[in-house]
Coordinates of all heavy atoms in Angstrom, one line a residue:
M25 N -26.7 -12.3 34.5 CA -25.5 -11.7 33.9 C -24.3 -12.7 34.0 O -23.4 -12.5 33.3 CB -25.1 -10.4 34.6 CG -26.0 -9.3 34.4 SD -26.1 -8.9 32.6 CE -25.1 -7.6 32.4
D26 N -24.4 -13.7 34.8 CA -23.3 -14.6 35.0 C -23.2 -15.6 33.7 O -22.1 -16.2 33.6 CB -23.4 -15.5 36.2 CG -23.3 -14.6 37.5 OD1 -22.6 -13.6 37.4 OD2 -23.8 -15.0 38.5
D27 N -24.2 -15.7 33.0 CA -24.2 -16.6 31.8 C -23.3 -16.1 30.7 O -22.8 -16.9 29.9 CB -25.6 -16.8 31.2 CG -26.5 -17.5 32.2 OD1 -26.0 -18.2 33.1 OD2 -27.7 -17.3 32.1
F28 N -23.1 -14.8 30.6 CA -22.3 -14.2 29.5 C -21.4 -13.1 30.1 O -21.8 -11.9 30.1 CB -23.2 -13.6 28.4 CG -22.6 -13.6 27.1 CD1 -22.3 -14.7 26.4 CD2 -22.3 -12.4 26.5 CE1 -21.8 -14.7 25.1 CE2 -21.7 -12.3 25.3 CZ -21.4 -13.5 24.6
P29 N -20.2 -13.4 30.6 CA -19.3 -12.5 31.2 C -18.9 -11.4 30.2 O -18.9 -11.5 29.0 CB -18.1 -13.3 31.7 CG -18.4 -14.7 31.3 CD -19.6 -14.8 30.5
I30 N -18.4 -10.3 30.8 CA -18.0 -9.1 30.0 C -16.8 -9.4 29.1 O -16.7 -8.9 28.0 CB -17.7 -7.9 31.0 CG1 -17.5 -6.6 30.2 CG2 -16.5 -8.2 31.8 CD1 -18.8 -6.1 29.6
W31 N -15.9 -10.3 29.5 CA -14.8 -10.6 28.7 C -15.2 -11.3 27.4 O -14.6 -11.1 26.3 CB -13.7 -11.4 29.4 CG -14.1 -12.8 29.8 CD1 -14.7 -13.2 31.0 CD2 -14.0 -14.0 29.0 NE1 -14.9 -14.5 31.0 CE2 -14.5 -15.0 29.8 CE3 -13.4 -14.2 27.8 CZ2 -14.5 -16.3 29.3 CZ3 -13.5 -15.5 27.3 CH2 -14.0 -16.6 28.1
K32 N -16.3 -12.1 27.4 CA -16.8 -12.7 26.2 C -17.3 -11.6 25.2 O -17.2 -11.7 24.0 CB -17.8 -13.7 26.5 CG -17.2 -15.0 27.1 CD -18.3 -16.1 27.2 CE -17.7 -17.4 27.8 NZ -18.8 -18.4 27.9
T33 N -18.0 -10.7 25.8 CA -18.6 -9.6 25.0 C -17.5 -8.8 24.4 O -17.5 -8.4 23.2 CB -19.5 -8.7 25.8 OG1 -20.5 -9.5 26.5 CG2 -20.2 -7.6 25.0
A34 N -16.5 -8.4 25.2 CA -15.3 -7.7 24.7 C -14.6 -8.4 23.6 O -14.2 -7.9 22.6 CB -14.4 -7.3 25.8
S35 N -14.4 -9.7 23.8 CA -13.7 -10.6 22.8 C -14.5 -10.6 21.5 O -13.9 -10.6 20.4 CB -13.5 -12.0 23.3 OG -12.7 -12.0 24.5
A36 N -15.8 -10.8 21.6 CA -16.6 -10.8 20.4 C -16.6 -9.5 19.6 O -16.5 -9.4 18.4 CB -18.1 -11.2 20.7
A37 N -16.6 -8.4 20.4 CA -16.5 -7.0 19.8 C -15.2 -6.8 19.1 O -15.1 -6.3 17.9 CB -16.8 -6.0 20.8
L38 N -14.1 -7.2 19.7 CA -12.8 -7.1 19.2 C -12.6 -8.0 17.9 O -12.1 -7.5 16.9 CB -11.7 -7.5 20.2 CG -10.3 -7.3 19.7 CD1 -10.0 -5.9 19.4 CD2 -9.3 -7.9 20.8
A39 N -13.2 -9.2 17.9 CA -13.1 -10.0 16.8 C -13.9 -9.5 15.6 O -13.5 -9.5 14.4 CB -13.6 -11.4 17.1
A40 N -15.0 -8.9 15.9 CA -15.8 -8.2 14.8 C -15.1 -7.0 14.2 O -15.1 -6.9 13.0 CB -17.2 -7.8 15.4
I41 N -14.5 -6.2 15.1 CA -13.7 -5.1 14.5 C -12.6 -5.5 13.7 O -12.3 -5.0 12.6 CB -13.3 -4.2 15.7 CG1 -14.5 -3.5 16.4 CG2 -12.2 -3.2 15.2 CD1 -14.1 -2.8 17.7
V42 N -11.8 -6.5 14.1 CA -10.7 -7.0 13.3 C -11.2 -7.6 12.0 O -10.6 -7.4 11.0 CB -9.9 -8.1 14.2 CG1 -8.9 -8.8 13.3 CG2 -9.2 -7.4 15.3
A43 N -12.2 -8.4 12.1 CA -12.8 -9.0 10.8 C -13.2 -7.9 9.9 O -12.9 -8.0 8.6 CB -13.9 -9.9 11.2
F44 N -13.9 -6.8 10.4 CA -14.3 -5.7 9.5 C -13.1 -5.0 8.9 O -13.1 -4.7 7.7 CB -15.1 -4.7 10.3 CG -15.5 -3.5 9.6 CD1 -16.5 -3.5 8.6 CD2 -14.8 -2.3 9.8 CE1 -16.8 -2.4 7.9 CE2 -15.1 -1.2 9.1 CZ -16.1 -1.2 8.1
K45 N -12.0 -4.8 9.7 CA -10.9 -4.1 9.1 C -10.2 -4.9 8.1 O -9.7 -4.4 7.0 CB -9.9 -3.8 10.3 CG -10.3 -2.7 11.2 CD -10.3 -1.4 10.6 CE -10.6 -0.3 11.5 NZ -10.5 1.0 11.0
V46 N -10.1 -6.2 8.3 CA -9.4 -7.1 7.3 C -10.2 -7.2 6.0 O -9.7 -7.1 4.9 CB -9.2 -8.5 7.9 CG1 -8.9 -9.6 6.8 CG2 -8.2 -8.5 9.0
V47 N -11.5 -7.3 6.1 CA -12.4 -7.4 4.9 C -12.3 -6.0 4.2 O -12.2 -6.0 2.9 CB -13.8 -7.8 5.3 CG1 -14.8 -7.5 4.1 CG2 -13.9 -9.2 5.8
S48 N -12.4 -4.9 4.9 CA -12.4 -3.6 4.2 C -11.0 -3.4 3.5 O -11.0 -2.8 2.5 CB -12.7 -2.5 5.2 OG -11.8 -2.4 6.2
Y49 N -9.9 -3.8 4.2 CA -8.6 -3.7 3.6 C -8.5 -4.5 2.3 O -8.0 -4.0 1.3 CB -7.5 -4.1 4.6 CG -6.1 -4.1 3.9 CD1 -5.4 -2.9 3.7 CD2 -5.6 -5.3 3.6 CE1 -4.2 -3.0 3.1 CE2 -4.3 -5.4 3.0 CZ -3.6 -4.2 2.8 OH -2.4 -4.2 2.2
C50 N -9.0 -5.7 2.3 CA -8.9 -6.6 1.2 C -9.8 -6.0 0.0 O -9.4 -6.1 -1.1 CB -9.4 -8.0 1.5 SG -8.2 -8.9 2.6
L51 N -11.0 -5.5 0.3 CA -11.8 -4.9 -0.7 C -11.2 -3.7 -1.3 O -11.3 -3.4 -2.5 CB -13.2 -4.6 -0.1 CG -14.1 -5.8 0.1 CD1 -15.4 -5.3 0.8 CD2 -14.4 -6.5 -1.2
T52 N -10.5 -2.9 -0.5 CA -9.8 -1.7 -1.0 C -8.7 -2.1 -1.9 O -8.6 -1.5 -3.0 CB -9.2 -0.9 0.2 OG1 -10.3 -0.5 1.1 CG2 -8.6 0.4 -0.3
V53 N -8.0 -3.1 -1.6 CA -6.9 -3.5 -2.5 C -7.4 -4.1 -3.8 O -6.9 -3.8 -4.9 CB -6.0 -4.6 -1.8 CG1 -5.0 -5.3 -2.7 CG2 -5.2 -4.0 -0.6
V54 N -8.5 -4.8 -3.7 CA -9.0 -5.5 -4.9 C -9.8 -4.5 -5.8 O -9.7 -4.6 -7.1 CB -10.0 -6.6 -4.5 CG1 -10.7 -7.2 -5.7 CG2 -9.2 -7.7 -3.8
T55 N -10.4 -3.5 -5.3 CA -11.2 -2.6 -6.1 C -10.6 -1.2 -6.3 O -11.2 -0.4 -6.9 CB -12.6 -2.3 -5.4 OG1 -12.3 -1.7 -4.1 CG2 -13.4 -3.6 -5.2
S56 N -9.3 -1.0 -5.9 CA -8.7 0.3 -6.1 C -8.4 0.5 -7.6 O -7.9 -0.3 -8.3 CB -7.3 0.2 -5.4 OG -6.6 1.4 -5.7
P57 N -8.7 1.8 -8.0 CA -8.4 2.1 -9.4 C -6.9 2.2 -9.7 O -6.5 2.1 -10.9 CB -9.1 3.5 -9.6 CG -9.3 4.0 -8.3 CD -9.4 2.8 -7.3
L58 N -6.1 2.3 -8.7 CA -4.7 2.3 -8.9 C -4.1 1.0 -9.4 O -3.0 0.9 -9.9 CB -4.0 2.7 -7.6 CG -4.2 4.1 -7.0 CD1 -3.5 4.3 -5.7 CD2 -3.8 5.1 -8.0
R59 N -4.9 -0.1 -9.2 CA -4.4 -1.4 -9.7 C -4.2 -1.5 -11.2 O -3.5 -2.4 -11.7 CB -5.3 -2.5 -9.2 CG -6.6 -2.6 -9.9 CD -7.6 -3.6 -9.3 NE -8.8 -3.8 -10.1 CZ -9.8 -3.0 -10.0 NH1 -9.9 -2.0 -9.2 NH2 -10.9 -3.3 -10.8
H60 N -4.8 -0.6 -11.9 CA -4.6 -0.5 -13.4 C -3.4 0.2 -13.8 O -3.0 0.1 -15.0 CB -5.9 0.1 -14.0 CG -7.1 -0.7 -13.7 ND1 -7.3 -2.0 -14.2 CD2 -8.2 -0.3 -13.0 CE1 -8.5 -2.4 -13.8 NE2 -9.1 -1.4 -13.1
L61 N -2.7 0.9 -12.9 CA -1.5 1.6 -13.3 C -0.3 0.7 -13.4 O -0.2 -0.3 -12.6 CB -1.2 2.7 -12.3 CG -2.1 3.9 -12.3 CD1 -1.7 4.9 -11.1 CD2 -2.1 4.7 -13.6
Q62 N 0.6 0.9 -14.3 CA 1.8 0.1 -14.4 C 2.8 0.6 -13.4 O 2.7 1.7 -12.9 CB 2.4 0.2 -15.8 CG 1.5 -0.4 -16.9 CD 2.2 -0.3 -18.2 OE1 3.3 0.3 -18.3 NE2 1.6 -0.9 -19.2
G63 N 3.7 -0.3 -13.1 CA 4.8 0.1 -12.1 C 5.8 -1.0 -12.0 O 5.5 -2.1 -12.4
P64 N 6.9 -0.7 -11.4 CA 8.0 -1.7 -11.3 C 7.5 -2.8 -10.2 O 6.8 -2.5 -9.3 CB 9.2 -0.9 -10.8 CG 8.6 0.3 -10.1 CD 7.3 0.6 -10.9
P65 N 8.1 -4.0 -10.4 CA 7.7 -5.0 -9.4 C 8.4 -4.6 -8.0 O 9.6 -4.2 -8.0 CB 8.3 -6.3 -10.0 CG 9.3 -5.8 -10.9 CD 8.9 -4.5 -11.4
A66 N 7.7 -4.9 -7.0 CA 8.3 -4.6 -5.6 C 9.2 -5.7 -5.2 O 8.8 -6.9 -5.4 CB 7.1 -4.4 -4.6
K67 N 10.3 -5.4 -4.6 CA 11.2 -6.4 -4.1 C 10.8 -7.1 -2.8 O 11.2 -8.2 -2.5 CB 12.6 -5.9 -4.0 CG 13.3 -5.5 -5.3 CD 14.7 -5.1 -5.1 CE 15.4 -4.7 -6.4 NZ 16.7 -4.3 -6.2
S68 N 9.9 -6.3 -2.0 CA 9.5 -6.8 -0.7 C 8.0 -6.8 -0.6 O 7.4 -5.8 -0.9 CB 10.2 -6.0 0.4 OG 9.7 -6.3 1.6
I69 N 7.5 -7.8 0.0 CA 6.0 -7.8 0.2 C 5.7 -6.9 1.4 O 4.7 -6.2 1.4 CB 5.5 -9.3 0.5 CG1 5.7 -10.1 -0.7 CG2 4.1 -9.3 1.0 CD1 5.4 -11.6 -0.4
I70 N 6.5 -6.9 2.4 CA 6.3 -6.1 3.6 C 6.6 -4.6 3.3 O 5.8 -3.7 3.7 CB 7.1 -6.6 4.8 CG1 6.6 -8.0 5.1 CG2 6.9 -5.7 6.0 CD1 7.5 -8.7 6.2
F71 N 7.7 -4.3 2.8 CA 8.1 -2.9 2.6 C 7.9 -2.3 1.2 O 8.1 -1.1 1.0 CB 9.6 -2.7 2.9 CG 9.9 -3.0 4.4 CD1 10.6 -4.2 4.7 CD2 9.5 -2.2 5.4 CE1 10.9 -4.5 6.0 CE2 9.8 -2.5 6.7 CZ 10.5 -3.6 7.0
G72 N 7.4 -3.1 0.3 CA 7.1 -2.6 -1.1 C 8.3 -2.0 -1.7 O 9.4 -2.6 -1.8
H73 N 8.2 -0.7 -2.2 CA 9.2 0.0 -2.9 C 10.0 0.9 -2.0 O 10.9 1.6 -2.4 CB 8.7 0.8 -4.0 CG 8.1 0.0 -5.2 ND1 6.8 -0.2 -5.3 CD2 8.7 -0.6 -6.2 CE1 6.6 -1.0 -6.4 NE2 7.7 -1.3 -6.9
L74 N 9.7 1.0 -0.7 CA 10.3 1.9 0.2 C 11.8 1.7 0.3 O 12.6 2.7 0.3 CB 9.7 1.9 1.6 CG 8.2 2.3 1.6 CD1 7.7 2.2 3.0 CD2 8.0 3.7 1.1
R75 N 12.3 0.5 0.4 CA 13.7 0.2 0.4 C 14.4 0.6 -0.9 O 15.5 1.1 -0.9 CB 14.0 -1.2 0.8 CG 13.7 -1.5 2.2 CD 14.2 -2.9 2.6 NE 14.0 -3.1 4.0 CZ 14.1 -4.3 4.6 NH1 14.4 -5.4 3.8 NH2 13.9 -4.5 5.8
Q76 N 13.8 0.3 -2.0 CA 14.3 0.7 -3.3 C 14.5 2.2 -3.4 O 15.4 2.7 -4.0 CB 13.5 0.1 -4.4 CG 13.5 -1.4 -4.5 CD 12.5 -1.9 -5.5 OE1 11.3 -2.1 -5.1 NE2 12.9 -2.0 -6.8
L77 N 13.5 2.9 -2.9 CA 13.6 4.4 -3.0 C 14.7 4.9 -2.2 O 15.3 5.9 -2.5 CB 12.2 5.0 -2.6 CG 11.1 4.8 -3.5 CD1 9.8 5.3 -2.9 CD2 11.3 5.6 -4.8
R78 N 15.0 4.3 -1.0 CA 16.1 4.7 -0.2 C 17.5 4.4 -0.7 O 18.5 5.0 -0.4 CB 15.9 4.2 1.2 CG 14.7 4.7 1.9 CD 14.6 4.3 3.3 NE 15.8 4.7 4.1 CZ 16.2 4.1 5.2 NH1 15.6 3.1 5.7 NH2 17.2 4.6 5.9
E79 N 17.6 3.3 -1.5 CA 18.8 2.8 -2.0 C 19.4 3.7 -3.1 O 20.6 3.8 -3.2 CB 18.7 1.4 -2.5 CG 18.5 0.4 -1.5 CD 18.2 -1.0 -2.1 OE1 18.1 -1.1 -3.3 OE2 18.0 -1.9 -1.3
V80 N 18.6 4.4 -3.9 CA 19.0 5.1 -5.1 C 19.4 6.5 -4.7 O 18.7 7.2 -3.9 CB 17.9 5.1 -6.1 CG1 18.3 5.9 -7.3 CG2 17.5 3.7 -6.5
E81 N 20.6 7.0 -5.2 CA 21.0 8.4 -4.9 C 20.2 9.3 -5.8 O 20.0 9.1 -7.0 CB 22.5 8.5 -5.3 CG 23.4 7.8 -4.3 CD 23.8 8.8 -3.2 OE1 23.8 10.0 -3.4 OE2 24.2 8.3 -2.2
G82 N 19.7 10.4 -5.2 CA 18.9 11.4 -6.0 C 17.6 10.8 -6.5 O 17.0 10.0 -5.9
A83 N 17.3 11.2 -7.7 CA 16.0 10.8 -8.3 C 16.2 9.9 -9.6 O 15.4 9.8 -10.4 CB 15.2 12.0 -8.7
T84 N 17.4 9.3 -9.7 CA 17.7 8.5 -10.9 C 16.8 7.3 -11.0 O 16.3 7.0 -12.1 CB 19.2 8.0 -10.9 OG1 19.5 7.3 -9.7 CG2 20.1 9.2 -11.0
G85 N 16.5 6.6 -9.9 CA 15.6 5.4 -10.0 C 14.2 5.8 -10.4 O 13.6 5.1 -11.2
E86 N 13.7 6.9 -9.8 CA 12.4 7.4 -10.1 C 12.3 7.8 -11.6 O 11.3 7.5 -12.3 CB 12.0 8.5 -9.2 CG 11.7 8.1 -7.8 CD 13.0 8.3 -7.0 OE1 14.1 8.4 -7.5 OE2 12.9 8.2 -5.7
R87 N 13.3 8.5 -12.1 CA 13.4 8.9 -13.5 C 13.3 7.6 -14.4 O 12.7 7.6 -15.4 CB 14.6 9.7 -13.8 CG 14.5 11.1 -13.3 CD 15.6 12.0 -13.8 NE 15.8 13.1 -12.9 CZ 17.0 13.4 -12.3 NH1 18.1 12.7 -12.5 NH2 17.0 14.4 -11.5
D88 N 14.1 6.6 -14.1 CA 14.1 5.4 -14.9 C 12.8 4.7 -14.9 O 12.3 4.3 -15.9 CB 15.2 4.4 -14.3 CG 16.6 4.9 -14.5 OD1 16.8 5.8 -15.3 OD2 17.5 4.4 -13.8
W89 N 12.1 4.7 -13.7 CA 10.8 4.1 -13.6 C 9.8 4.8 -14.5 O 9.0 4.2 -15.2 CB 10.3 4.0 -12.2 CG 11.0 3.0 -11.3 CD1 11.7 2.0 -11.7 CD2 11.0 3.0 -9.9 NE1 12.2 1.3 -10.6 CE2 11.7 1.9 -9.5 CE3 10.4 3.8 -8.9 CZ2 12.0 1.5 -8.2 CZ3 10.6 3.4 -7.6 CH2 11.4 2.3 -7.2
L90 N 9.8 6.2 -14.4 CA 8.9 7.0 -15.2 C 9.1 6.8 -16.7 O 8.2 6.8 -17.5 CB 9.0 8.4 -14.7 CG 8.4 8.7 -13.3 CD1 8.7 10.2 -12.9 CD2 6.9 8.5 -13.3
A91 N 10.4 6.7 -17.1 CA 10.7 6.5 -18.5 C 10.3 5.2 -19.0 O 9.8 5.0 -20.1 CB 12.2 6.7 -18.7
T92 N 10.3 4.2 -18.1 CA 9.9 2.8 -18.5 C 8.4 2.6 -18.5 O 7.9 2.0 -19.4 CB 10.6 1.8 -17.6 OG1 12.0 2.0 -17.6 CG2 10.3 0.4 -18.0
Y93 N 7.8 3.1 -17.4 CA 6.4 2.7 -17.2 C 5.4 3.8 -17.5 O 4.2 3.6 -17.5 CB 6.2 2.2 -15.7 CG 7.0 1.0 -15.4 CD1 8.1 1.1 -14.7 CD2 6.6 -0.2 -15.9 CE1 8.8 0.0 -14.3 CE2 7.3 -1.4 -15.6 CZ 8.4 -1.3 -14.8 OH 9.2 -2.4 -14.5
G94 N 5.8 5.0 -17.8 CA 4.9 6.1 -18.1 C 4.9 7.2 -17.2 O 5.7 7.2 -16.2
K95 N 4.1 8.2 -17.4 CA 4.1 9.5 -16.6 C 3.6 9.3 -15.2 O 4.0 10.0 -14.3 CB 3.3 10.6 -17.3 CG 4.0 11.0 -18.6 CD 3.1 12.1 -19.2 CE 3.8 12.5 -20.5 NZ 3.0 13.6 -21.2
V96 N 2.6 8.4 -15.0 CA 2.0 8.1 -13.7 C 2.2 6.6 -13.5 O 1.8 5.8 -14.3 CB 0.6 8.5 -13.6 CG1 0.0 8.2 -12.3 CG2 0.4 10.0 -14.0
I97 N 2.8 6.2 -12.3 CA 3.0 4.8 -12.0 C 2.5 4.5 -10.6 O 2.2 5.5 -9.9 CB 4.5 4.4 -12.1 CG1 5.3 5.2 -11.1 CG2 5.0 4.6 -13.5 CD1 6.8 4.7 -11.1
Q98 N 2.4 3.3 -10.3 CA 2.0 2.9 -8.9 C 3.2 2.3 -8.2 O 4.0 1.6 -8.8 CB 0.8 1.9 -8.9 CG 1.2 0.5 -9.3 CD 0.2 -0.5 -8.9 OE1 -0.4 -0.4 -7.8 NE2 0.1 -1.6 -9.7
L99 N 3.4 2.8 -7.0 CA 4.4 2.2 -6.1 C 3.7 1.6 -5.0 O 2.6 2.0 -4.6 CB 5.4 3.3 -5.7 CG 6.2 3.9 -6.8 CD1 7.1 5.0 -6.1 CD2 7.0 2.9 -7.5
K100 N 4.3 0.6 -4.4 CA 3.7 -0.1 -3.2 C 4.4 0.3 -2.0 O 5.6 0.4 -1.9 CB 3.7 -1.6 -3.4 CG 2.8 -2.0 -4.5 CD 2.7 -3.5 -4.7 CE 1.7 -3.8 -5.8 NZ 1.7 -5.3 -6.1
T101 N 3.6 0.7 -1.0 CA 4.2 1.0 0.3 C 4.1 -0.1 1.3 O 4.0 -1.3 0.8 CB 3.5 2.3 0.9 OG1 2.1 2.0 1.1 CG2 3.6 3.5 -0.1
I102 N 4.0 0.1 2.5 CA 4.0 -1.0 3.5 C 2.8 -1.9 3.3 O 1.7 -1.4 3.2 CB 4.1 -0.4 4.9 CG1 5.4 0.3 5.1 CG2 3.9 -1.4 6.0 CD1 5.6 1.0 6.4
L103 N 3.1 -3.2 3.3 CA 2.0 -4.2 3.2 C 1.3 -4.1 1.9 O 0.1 -4.5 1.8 CB 1.1 -4.2 4.4 CG 1.7 -4.5 5.7 CD1 0.6 -4.4 6.8 CD2 2.3 -5.9 5.8
G104 N 1.9 -3.6 0.8 CA 1.4 -3.7 -0.5 C 0.3 -2.6 -0.8 O -0.4 -2.7 -1.8
V105 N 0.2 -1.6 0.0 CA -0.8 -0.5 -0.2 C -0.3 0.3 -1.4 O 0.9 0.7 -1.5 CB -0.9 0.4 1.0 CG1 -1.8 1.6 0.7 CG2 -1.4 -0.4 2.2
R106 N -1.1 0.5 -2.4 CA -0.7 1.1 -3.6 C -0.8 2.7 -3.5 O -1.7 3.2 -2.8 CB -1.7 0.7 -4.8 CG -1.6 -0.7 -5.1 CD -2.6 -1.0 -6.2 NE -2.4 -2.4 -6.7 CZ -3.3 -3.3 -6.4 NH1 -4.3 -3.1 -5.6 NH2 -3.1 -4.5 -6.8
A107 N 0.2 3.3 -4.1 CA 0.2 4.8 -4.1 C 0.6 5.3 -5.4 O 1.5 4.7 -6.1 CB 1.3 5.3 -3.0
P108 N 0.0 6.3 -5.9 CA 0.4 6.9 -7.3 C 1.7 7.6 -7.1 O 2.0 8.2 -6.1 CB -0.8 7.8 -7.6 CG -1.4 8.2 -6.3 CD -1.2 7.1 -5.4
F109 N 2.5 7.6 -8.2 CA 3.7 8.4 -8.2 C 3.8 9.0 -9.5 O 3.6 8.4 -10.6 CB 4.9 7.4 -8.0 CG 6.2 8.1 -8.0 CD1 6.7 8.7 -6.8 CD2 7.0 8.2 -9.1 CE1 7.9 9.3 -6.7 CE2 8.2 8.9 -9.0 CZ 8.7 9.4 -7.9
F110 N 4.1 10.3 -9.5 CA 4.2 11.1 -10.8 C 5.2 12.2 -10.5 O 5.5 12.6 -9.4 CB 2.9 11.6 -11.3 CG 2.1 12.4 -10.3 CD1 2.3 13.8 -10.2 CD2 1.2 11.8 -9.4 CE1 1.6 14.5 -9.2 CE2 0.5 12.5 -8.5 CZ 0.7 13.8 -8.4
R111 N 5.7 12.7 -11.6 CA 6.7 13.8 -11.5 C 6.1 15.1 -12.1 O 5.5 15.1 -13.2 CB 8.0 13.5 -12.2 CG 9.0 14.5 -12.1 CD 10.3 14.0 -12.6 NE 11.3 15.0 -12.5 CZ 12.4 15.1 -13.2 NH1 12.7 14.1 -14.0 NH2 13.3 16.1 -13.0
V112 N 6.2 16.2 -11.4 CA 5.6 17.4 -11.8 C 6.8 18.3 -12.4 O 7.8 18.5 -11.7 CB 5.0 18.2 -10.6 CG1 4.5 19.6 -11.1 CG2 3.9 17.4 -10.1
H113 N 6.6 18.7 -13.6 CA 7.6 19.5 -14.3 C 7.2 21.0 -14.1 O 6.1 21.4 -14.6 CB 7.7 19.2 -15.8 CG 8.3 17.8 -16.0 ND1 9.6 17.5 -16.0 CD2 7.6 16.7 -16.4 CE1 9.8 16.2 -16.2 NE2 8.6 15.7 -16.5
R114 N 8.1 21.7 -13.5 CA 7.8 23.2 -13.3 C 8.7 24.0 -14.2 O 9.8 23.7 -14.4 CB 7.9 23.6 -11.9 CG 6.9 23.0 -11.0 CD 6.9 23.6 -9.7 NE 5.8 23.0 -8.9 CZ 5.5 23.3 -7.7 NH1 6.2 24.3 -7.1 NH2 4.6 22.7 -7.0
I115 N 8.1 25.1 -14.7 CA 8.9 25.9 -15.6 C 9.5 27.1 -14.8 O 8.9 27.6 -13.9 CB 8.1 26.4 -16.8 CG1 7.6 25.3 -17.6 CG2 8.8 27.4 -17.6 CD1 6.7 25.6 -18.7

């Protein structure tokens, strides 16, 4: 057992988990069907559209985006994760 200490096993397991998470995240971003939706360009790579959503009073920014890009658009959240955005009209 002295040839392969426990910390080496733990390090290898942690590296494998991190590698799996990174690869699965990259595949999700590349293969997401949301990538085909139009949307405004994000000002920040880290925060996506979150800061832009906080800067605008009311829903004027969202209305402008929907008028420009269509009824369903994609917005980017933290670290570029895509999220659909749409407005529901209720009568």
Side-chain angles (χ1 to χ4, degrees):
M25 289 303 260
D26 292 333
D27 295 339
F28 206 70
I30 190 74
W31 66 270
K32 285 186 179 180
T33 306
S35 298
L38 182 63
I41 291 171
V42 168
F44 173 76
K45 291 289 187 179
V46 167
V47 168
S48 66
Y49 173 77
C50 291
L51 286 176
T52 301
V53 169
V54 171
T55 61
S56 172
L58 295 177
R59 72 185 187 280
H60 298 296
L61 292 176
Q62 294 182 355
K67 290 185 179 179
S68 172
I69 294 173
I70 296 173
F71 296 108
H73 291 99
L74 296 179
R75 287 188 176 170
Q76 291 172 273
L77 289 171
R78 291 184 64 201
E79 290 172 358
V80 179
E81 289 267 338
T84 56
E86 291 90 347
R87 285 189 204 127
D88 293 342
W89 288 342
L90 291 171
T92 304
Y93 297 105
K95 294 180 180 180
V96 179
I97 62 174
Q98 73 161 327
L99 296 180
K100 293 186 179 173
T101 60
I102 294 177
L103 297 177
V105 176
R106 295 177 176 105
F109 183 84
F110 53 91
R111 184 169 178 202
V112 177
H113 294 281
R114 291 191 178 183
I115 298 176

